[in-house]
């Protein structure tokens, strides 16, 4: 990749800003850290924008939004979030999770790629693009930073509804996607939805001695059976009716999935196959179009290890593809569990509907051309971005189609895990690619004019 020479000239400052933002421990709900990071973003956004507003989400902090008018009425919205997942046990990090230490060419920090590489890197890209035009940009810009995406963006829908007129844009450049195992750029469209439920089984008034094991029911074993019943042996959702309205790929979409490289060697243990059963082609199609199920928690009372627990709780997460409605999935799972074990109680923790944006559109063509130009390689198309996010809120309130461009993350970057990291050179490429997207949109426009297809 031949980067814009100004990026290499300013690399120390650009990477330093990325590190600075990663040093704020912005776990969703930590209002002190969230507030400090919001101040940091606003301070750096203000010179680039006509105005910066803060829309407070009670209990979670401000949505920071910058507005810049352009020479035309068209506008592009850039969505980022600046909250992060909890860091877990700090002792399991090779360096402190908020030290943003660089070693062996990579920067290690919670949130390094998800999503502070976007929040910081796009500020650099915007500065360079504005500089190219002596301050007279050809279209308008809206930069939006969400304080609580990692917990489902509670309250964001109210913010978008209340400010829909001023936030309305022609297209939305979503938080970034990953690069393939082989380094090719990947571009995702729309995003999955997410449904997290909590299953609780209370059987005994209190924990009992294990000598009663031969005559008493076991809450954890029965709950394990209930959770296992939700999933087939090959990893699909086993609940009747869940898949009925899910998006089905047409022939063009299936051809696009053939280019996807499944993550494997970089994330697997030696000698252990990380993938579910199926051919590479089958798994690639499932990766994009198959709703998913995973276990996000299973809890017992730590004080009753030598007893029969009175209760157990599990958290199950579903990844939803376009066409699926969270409420219908909840109803189907309730019916399934009522037949299997009526004592299991289901509670919805959070839900986000999926968002669909067409691949074949003027906006999509522009982003894909920019990826090919920036990386010197044909981009890999994900018809549905495999990560979940509040994209449906943007479609509902703003009408802006969503594309997630290539970013800093690679499959082995440990997003949400210990030693999360991104490579410095990948981050600088990320800044260059965002600059190329802005240039391509200037050349070709980005109004979403879908031409059909999945």
């Amino acid at each position: 990749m031949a980067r814009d020479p100004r990026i290499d000239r300013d690399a120390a400052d650009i990477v330093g800003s990325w590190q600075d933002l990663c040093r704020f421990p912005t776990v969703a709900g930590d209002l002190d850290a969230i507030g400090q990071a919001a101040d940091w973003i606003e301070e750096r956004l203000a010179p680039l924008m006509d105005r910066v507003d803060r829309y407070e989400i009670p209990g979670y902090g401000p949505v920071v939004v910058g507005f810049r008018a352009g020479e035309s009425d068209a506008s592009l919205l850039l969505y980022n979030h600046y909250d992060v997942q909890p860091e877990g046990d700090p002792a399991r990090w090779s360096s402190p999770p908020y030290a943003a230490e660089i070693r062996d060419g990579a920067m290690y920090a919670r949130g390094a790629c998800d999503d502070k590489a976007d929040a910081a890197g796009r500020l650099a890209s915007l500065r360079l693009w504005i500089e190219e035009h002596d301050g007279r940009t050809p279209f308008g810009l809206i930069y939006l930073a969400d304080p609580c995406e990692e917990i489902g963006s509670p309250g964001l829908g109210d913010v978008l509804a209340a400010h829909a007129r001023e936030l309305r844009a022609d297209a939305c450049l979503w938080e970034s996607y990953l690069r393939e195992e082989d380094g090719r750029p990947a571009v995702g469209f729309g995003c999955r939805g997410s449904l997290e439920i909590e299953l609780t089984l209370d059987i005994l008034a209190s924990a009992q001695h294990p000598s009663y094991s031969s005559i008493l029911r076991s809450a954890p074993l029965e709950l394990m059976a209930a959770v296992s019943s939700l999933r087939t042996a090959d990893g699909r959702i086993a609940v009747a009716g869940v898949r009925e309205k899910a998006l089905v790929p047409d022939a063009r979409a299936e051809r696009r999935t053939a280019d996807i490289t499944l993550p494997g060697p970089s994330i697997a243990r030696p000698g252990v196959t990380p993938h579910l059963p199926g051919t590479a082609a089958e798994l690639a199609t499932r990766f994009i179009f198959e709703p998913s199920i995973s276990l996000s928690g299973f809890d017992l009372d730590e004080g009753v290890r030598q007893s029969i627990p009175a209760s157990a709780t599990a958290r199950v997460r579903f990844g939803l593809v376009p066409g699926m409605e969270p409420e219908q999935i909840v109803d189907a799972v309730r019916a399934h569990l009522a037949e299997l074990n009526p004592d299991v109680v289901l509670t919805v923790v959070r839900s986000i509907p999926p968002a669909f944006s067409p691949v074949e559109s003027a906006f999509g063509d522009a982003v894909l051309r920019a990826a090919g130009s920036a990386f010197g390689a044909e981009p890999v198309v994900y018809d549905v971005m495999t990560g979940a996010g509040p994209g449906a809120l943007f479609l509902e309130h703003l009408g802006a189609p969503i594309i997630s461009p290539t970013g800093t993350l690679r499959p082995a970057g440990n997003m949400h895990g210990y030693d999360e990291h991104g490579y410095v050179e990948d981050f600088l490429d990320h800044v260059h690619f965002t600059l190329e997207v802005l240039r391509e949109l200037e050349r070709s426009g980005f109004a979403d004019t879908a031409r059909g297809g999945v």
Side-chain angles (χ1 to χ4, degrees), residues 337-382:
L337 293 172
E339 184 174 340
L340 178 76
N341 190 332
D343 293 326
V344 175
V345 176
L346 184 157
T347 304
V348 176
V349 177
R350 65 178 64 94
S351 69
I352 306 171
F356 174 68
S357 292
V359 171
E360 294 167 321
S361 66
F363 181 39
D365 290 347
V367 175
L368 293 172
R369 280 195 300 271
S373 172
F375 291 94
E378 192 70 22
V380 179
V381 174
Y382 287 64

Side-chain angles (χ1 to χ4, degrees), residues 162-249:
H163 302 279
R165 183 184 296 271
E166 56 193 340
L167 290 172
R168 184 167 291 276
D170 294 278
C172 176
L173 202 65
W174 202 248
E175 64 173 296
S176 63
Y177 206 43
L178 49 71
R179 291 176 72 164
E180 296 288 279
E181 288 263 21
D182 58 12
R184 287 179 298 163
V187 178
F189 291 74
C191 60
R192 287 194 173 217
S194 177
L195 169 66
E196 187 170 18
I197 59 174
E198 185 170 89
L199 304 180
T200 302
L201 183 56
D202 288 309
I203 292 177
L204 304 174
S206 62
Q208 298 297 319
H209 192 274
S211 63
Y212 292 108
S213 297
S214 59
I215 63 170
L216 293 181
R217 295 171 63 189
S218 168
L221 289 175
E222 288 191 16
L223 191 58
M224 288 167 62
V227 172
S228 295
S229 76
L230 303 176
R231 183 177 183 264
T232 64
D234 65 350
R236 300 175 191 270
I237 299 173
V239 180
V242 163
R243 192 66 175 80
E244 287 180 354
K245 295 185 178 180
L247 181 69
V248 177

Side-chain angles (χ1 to χ4, degrees), residues 39-52 64 66-68 123:
D39 291 342
W40 186 95
I41 293 171
E42 182 175 1
E43 180 181 343
R44 285 152 183 79
L45 194 57
L48 307 176
M49 297 290 164
D50 298 325
R51 79 175 200 270
V52 179
V64 182
F67 296 90
R68 183 184 183 91
L123 293 172

Side-chain angles (χ1 to χ4, degrees), residues 431-449:
V431 172
H432 175 76
F433 174 46
T434 304
L435 181 59
E436 280 296 303
V437 170
L438 294 168
R439 289 167 172 167
E440 183 58 42
L441 292 175
E442 177 183 353
R443 286 190 288 266
S444 63
F446 49 82
D448 194 296
T449 52

